[in-house]
C-alpha cells in the first residue's frame, strides 16, 4: 500500500507523537453506499459491507500514518442534545437504509472487541470526539489527524491538527487539509472557519445561514474585519460604519462593486445576530470530553500493537481473508496465519 503522506513538518512538529482520530460514522456511511452491491455478510449472516469497509480503511490509515495512538468517535444514536435544542437538526436527510442502521448500531462493539478505543459520547456525536481530540493534541503537544467527511472539523485545523477530508476517491484520493490549504480553499483561516460556517449556514444539518450572507461575502467580511466579534462591536457601537468603510475599501482595491452597506444592512436585520449565535452553538464541537488516553501506560486502549489472537478472531468474523491478513500484520505486527475464509 502506498503510504499516506503528511505535509513536510516543521522541526518541532516532527518530534511530536501522532494521534489519529477516526469519525467512524463517516466511514460507515461512505462504505455502505460504495459497497452495498457486494452483499457481504459476516459469519452470522448479517450485513457487513459497511463494517468491513470501515475496518479496512482504519487499517490502511494506521499503516499509512503510523500513529502512536488512535481513537474512533461514534454518534450516540439513542439521544441528541442538539436535536433537543433544535428538533429540525439534520431534518430533510433521506431515511437510512435498515442495513446501514444495523451496521451503525454494531460498529462500536466491533471496534471495542478489536481493542481499539471506540468512544460514544452521551447525547453527542463523533464531531465532539474530533473537537476534544484536537484540544487534547494541542495541550499534550502531539500532532493529530482527523479522518472525516464533516466540514465542521475544519475549525480544528491548526499547527497541531490536520483533517483528512473523505471524498469519493477514498483515503488516498482525499485531501489532507492544513491551515494553508484550508485558506486556499475557503479564503478564511482555521480560527475563522466556525464564524464563516455560522454565517454561511450548513444545509446538510438543516442550519440556514444569515439571510443574504453567502459563502463569498462571509469570507470577505472575515478577511477584512478580522473577526465577527469586531464586526458585531462596530454594529453595536457605531452602526457598522467601520465595517462599511473596510468592505468598500476592499472593493475599491479589487475593482468590484461596493458591498459594505448591503452587508451591514443584512447583518443588522432582525434575527441575523440570533441566527449567527445559534449556528455557532450548534456547530461548535464539545472539546472537553475525556478520551481516556493514557499513552505512557503500556497496554492502554488506543495504543498499538493489538492482541494478535483478538485481531484474527474479530476481523476474521467479517469473512474477508485478505483484510484479516492485513489487520494481523498492521495492528499486531505479527505474520498472518492462513485462515479458512472466503476472499471478497
Amino acid at each position: 500500500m502506498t503510504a499516506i503522506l503528511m505535509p513536510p513538518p516543521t522541526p518541532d512538529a516532527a518530534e511530536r507523537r501522532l494521534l489519529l482520530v477516526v469519525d467512524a460514522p463517516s466511514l460507515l456511511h461512505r462504505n455502505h453506499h460504495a459497497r452495498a452491491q457486494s452483499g457481504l455478510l459476516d459469519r452470522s449472516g448479517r450485513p457487513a459491507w459497511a463494517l468491513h469497509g470501515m475496518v479496512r480503511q482504519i487499517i490502511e490509515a494506521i499503516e499509512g500514518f503510523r500513529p502512536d495512538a488512535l481513537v474512533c468517535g461514534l454518534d450516540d444514536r439513542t439521544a441528541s442534545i442538539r436535536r433537543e435544542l433544535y428538533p429540525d437538526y439534520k431534518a430533510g436527510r433521506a431515511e437510512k437504509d435498515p442495513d446501514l442502521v444495523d451496521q451503525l448500531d454494531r460498529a462500536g462493539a466491533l471496534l471495542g472487541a478489536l481493542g481499539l478505543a471506540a468512544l460514544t459520547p452521551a447525547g453527542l456525536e463523533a464531531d465532539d470526539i474530533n473537537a476534544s481530540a484536537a484540544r487534547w493534541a494541542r495541550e499534550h503537544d502531539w500532532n493529530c489527524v482527523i479522518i472525516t467527511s464533516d466540514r465542521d472539523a475544519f475549525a480544528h485545523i491548526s499547527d497541531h491538527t490536520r483533517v483528512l477530508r473523505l471524498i469519493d476517491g477514498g483515503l488516498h484520493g482525499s485531501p489532507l487539509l492544513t491551515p494553508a490549504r484550508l485558506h486556499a480553499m475557503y479564503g478564511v483561516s482555521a480560527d475563522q472557519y466556525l464564524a464563516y460556517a455560522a454565517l454561511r449556514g450548513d444545509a446538510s444539518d438543516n442550519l440556514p445561514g444569515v439571510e443574504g450572507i453567502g459563502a463569498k461575502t462571509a469570507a470577505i467580511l472575515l478577511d477584512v474585519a478580522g473577526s465577527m466579534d469586531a464586526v458585531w462591536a462596530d454594529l453595536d457601537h457605531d452602526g457598522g460604519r467601520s465595517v462599511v468603510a473596510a468592505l468598500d475599501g476592499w472593493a475599491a482595491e479589487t475593482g468590484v462593486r461596493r458591498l459594505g452597506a448591503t452587508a451591514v444592512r443584512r447583518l443588522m436585520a432582525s434575527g441575523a445576530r440570533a441566527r449567527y449565535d445559534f449556528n455557532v452553538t450548534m456547530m461548535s464541537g464539545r472539546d472537553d470530553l475525556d478520551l481516556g488516553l493514557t499513552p505512557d501506560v503500556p497496554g492502554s486502549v488506543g495504543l498499538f500493537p493489538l492482541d494478535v489472537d483478538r485481531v484474527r478472531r474479530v476481523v476474521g468474523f467479517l469473512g474477508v481473508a485478505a483484510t484479516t491478513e492485513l489487520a494481523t500484520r498492521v495492528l499486531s505486527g505479527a505474520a498472518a496465519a492462513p485462515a479458512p475464509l472466503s476472499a471478497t
Side-chain angles (χ1 to χ4, degrees):
M1 172 189 151
T2 302
I4 303 168
L5 298 178
M6 293 283 284
T10 63
D12 288 342
E15 301 300 320
R16 299 177 190 146
R17 289 186 282 181
L18 175 63
L19 172 63
L20 188 62
V21 186
V22 176
D23 182 340
S26 283
L27 269 63
L28 286 161
H29 279 84
R30 289 189 165 274
N31 279 287
H32 170 70
H33 295 296
R35 297 171 181 261
Q37 74 282 356
S38 74
L40 178 69
L41 305 178
D42 64 23
R43 286 184 164 185
S44 70
R46 296 176 71 176
W49 52 83
L51 290 169
H52 169 255
M54 173 192 69
V55 169
R56 180 84 188 198
Q57 287 189 317
I58 290 173
I59 297 166
E60 291 175 352
I62 292 168
E63 184 178 38
F65 284 109
R66 302 186 183 277
D68 296 280
L70 177 143
V71 296
C72 297
L74 295 128
D75 299 340
D76 185 346
R77 293 181 41 75
T78 64
S80 170
I81 291 172
R82 291 180 177 89
R83 191 166 288 112
E84 289 174 7
L85 182 63
Y86 177 46
D88 288 334
Y89 181 57
K90 297 186 178 180
R93 294 188 179 186
E95 186 174 350
K96 291 183 175 66
D97 185 320
D99 288 336
L100 171 59
V101 172
D102 178 69
Q103 293 174 86
L104 286 166
D105 288 339
R106 294 156 56 204
L110 173 66
L111 294 168
L114 191 54
L116 297 173
L119 309 177
T120 307
L124 298 171
E125 307 170 15
D127 301 348
D128 301 291
I129 297 299
N130 295 342
S132 294
R135 176 176 174 177
W136 187 95
R138 182 177 68 252
E139 292 181 346
H140 291 80
D141 198 29
W142 281 44
N143 286 326
C144 177
V145 171
I146 300 171
I147 300 178
T148 183
S149 59
D150 197 313
R151 293 183 297 178
D152 287 346
F154 295 173
H156 313 316
I157 294 173
S158 70
D159 290 339
H160 284 265
T161 297
R162 312 287 188 262
V163 171
L164 186 71
R165 171 80 190 287
L166 293 175
I167 56 176
D168 292 340
L171 292 182
H172 301 289
S174 297
L176 186 63
L177 301 182
T178 64
R181 290 176 181 172
L182 180 71
H183 192 278
M185 287 174 61
Y186 292 98
V188 297
S189 61
D191 60 2
Q192 294 174 325
Y193 185 81
L194 176 59
Y196 166 80
L199 287 167
R200 177 204 61 199
D202 188 342
S204 68
D205 287 343
N206 196 34
L207 291 169
V210 175
E211 188 172 355
I213 303 292
K216 183 176 180 179
T217 300
I220 295 167
L221 178 66
L222 288 164
D223 182 53
V224 170
S227 73
M228 283 308 296
D229 286 344
V231 171
W232 297 125
D234 185 55
L235 267 60
D236 290 342
H237 301 297
D238 196 26
R241 289 180 179 84
S242 295
V243 174
V244 170
L247 289 173
D248 287 350
W250 174 89
E253 290 176 4
T254 55
V256 301
R257 65 181 180 83
R258 292 188 296 178
L259 68 160
T262 300
V264 165
R265 185 172 64 252
R266 288 168 175 168
L267 290 168
M268 295 185 74
S270 175
R273 178 70 181 269
R275 167 52 56 186
Y276 172 82
D277 289 342
F278 182 76
N279 283 352
V280 168
T281 297
M282 294 294 293
M283 295 174 177
S284 295
R286 279 277 303 273
D287 67 357
D288 59 349
L289 303 179
D290 182 4
L291 303 180
L293 289 173
T294 52
D296 295 321
V297 180
S300 295
V301 173
L303 305 185
F304 302 99
L306 303 182
D307 179 77
V308 61
D309 291 332
R310 196 175 192 180
V311 170
R312 285 180 179 144
R313 182 177 68 255
V314 174
V315 180
F317 189 75
L318 297 174
V320 182
T323 300
T324 303
E325 293 169 3
L326 179 66
T328 303
R329 175 172 59 81
V330 173
L331 302 182
S332 69
L341 303 175
S342 59
T344 300

